[in-house]
Amino acid sequence: MEKDVKKQQNNPGKLFVISGSSGVGKGTLLKELLNRNPDLKLSISATTRHPRPGEIDGVNYFFISKDEFEKSVQNGEFLEWTEFNGNCYGTKEYYVKKTLGKGENLILEIETRGALQIKKKIPEAVLIFVLPPSIEELEHRLRGRNTEDETTIQGRLHEAYREIECSSQYDFRVVNDDLNRALVELEKIINQELAKS
Ligand code: ADP
Ligand code: 5GP
């Protein structure tokens, strides 16, 4: 019995990487997923992007300067990082290693270049791509969110085409048509993968 508990404690947590074009609904889906599954942890990235109204430092992101970001890159602190539409985003290695080492299951919500860097470093990571029902609906959601100016929206749509092309390299693809349906599908994939470990 004692041995079983010890074995469980030594089991590293599972890493899930979720990507999808800007405005597809990743944030909305993840918020619901985490509400329903409080044992899942969401990693907080560092970014040089300015906070949107309502975003909180240390909750949504660690909002840092370009200089601080560059210093972290030079010190090799990032497990992965990239530039996306003019801003830098990165995942700190120590946090991922510490969380997985404690046996906790962790989600990274990151774009495709970072996701593919992760897959190379941690092949057992599970990559899930969230697709929009159509490009028109994606644009509609991105504009409807009302958080970006026109230049940023155009840049994000451009990134969206590139990212959708990468989605064939992911382990799973989920279409976020109806929010609840997509949530159930996402949850099913995660539970299936957790049952394997
Ligand atoms: P992302 O995190 O992928 O950039 P958000 O979660 O911010 O996207 O969602 C963008 C917009 O789309 C938000 O206004 C959100 O309410 C809306 N949205 C998310 N999922 C759906 C869905 N299944 N159907 C309709 N609107 C959605
Ligand atoms: P946003 O500015 O909309 O919050 O994020 C823009 C894009 O950057 C999204 O696709 C988001 O998933 C991605 N992103 C957020 N954090 C990271 C990160 O740490 N690394 C990488 N590679 N992408 C990230």
Side-chain angles (χ1 to χ4, degrees):
M1 182 75 174
E2 231 174 68
K3 205 174 165 201
D4 279 350
V5 173
K6 197 152 183 220
K7 196 173 155 208
Q8 247 180 1
Q9 283 171 346
N10 287 340
N11 263 354
K14 194 124 199 160
L15 185 61
F16 295 93
V17 179
I18 300 197
S19 306
S21 314
S22 210
V24 74
K26 300 178 298 297
T28 311
L29 272 169
L30 286 175
K31 195 167 164 225
E32 285 301 314
L33 182 78
L34 294 169
N35 276 342
R36 287 163 56 145
N37 302 273
D39 289 348
L40 290 171
K41 286 208 146 190
L42 182 65
S43 169
I44 305 171
S45 299
T47 184
T48 60
R49 163 166 85 60
H50 292 298
R52 294 184 188 128
E55 283 186 328
I56 299 168
D57 187 37
V59 175
N60 304 95
Y61 280 106
F62 294 105
F63 295 100
I64 62 175
S65 67
K66 190 103 203 217
D67 276 358
E68 280 177 275
F69 198 97
E70 273 166 13
K71 238 177 248 163
S72 292
V73 171
Q74 275 157 22
N75 292 338
E77 290 171 29
F78 289 119
L79 184 59
E80 65 73 35
W81 72 272
T82 197
E83 201 173 320
F84 179 92
N85 203 32
N87 292 303
C88 294
Y89 298 81
T91 308
K92 289 278 173 83
E93 179 160 21
Y94 91 92
Y95 176 74
V96 174
K97 295 269 156 85
K98 186 182 80 180
T99 308
L100 297 179
K102 282 195 282 187
E104 294 177 317
N105 302 311
L106 182 65
I107 297 182
L108 306 183
E109 191 248 275
I110 62 176
E111 55 67 69
T112 49
R113 279 183 292 254
L116 297 174
Q117 289 177 50
I118 295 281
K119 193 71 180 174
K120 269 196 195 144
K121 289 185 176 171
I122 308 178
E124 58 277 20
V126 178
L127 268 54
I128 306 171
F129 194 90
V130 182
L131 285 159
S134 66
I135 289 291
E136 291 74 22
E137 174 63 13
L138 177 72
E139 186 166 350
H140 176 71
R141 286 184 196 170
L142 191 53
R143 290 185 186 283
R145 191 170 68 186
N146 225 3
T147 49
E148 270 86 20
D149 61 27
E150 186 56 29
T151 314
T152 311
I153 287 174
Q154 290 303 331
R156 281 173 181 257
L157 286 172
H158 180 75
E159 296 274 14
Y161 296 117
R162 177 189 64 74
E163 291 210 282
I164 289 171
E165 279 175 16
C166 289
S167 70
S168 59
Q169 298 178 62
Y170 278 59
D171 300 304
F172 298 95
R173 280 161 294 281
V174 174
V175 178
N176 183 18
D177 38 19
D178 174 74
L179 185 66
N180 279 323
R181 195 211 59 77
L183 181 62
V184 169
E185 189 180 343
L186 182 61
E187 217 166 26
K188 197 169 152 202
I189 292 169
I190 290 177
N191 284 329
Q192 266 172 8
E193 291 299 313
L194 289 177
K196 285 186 195 166
S197 43

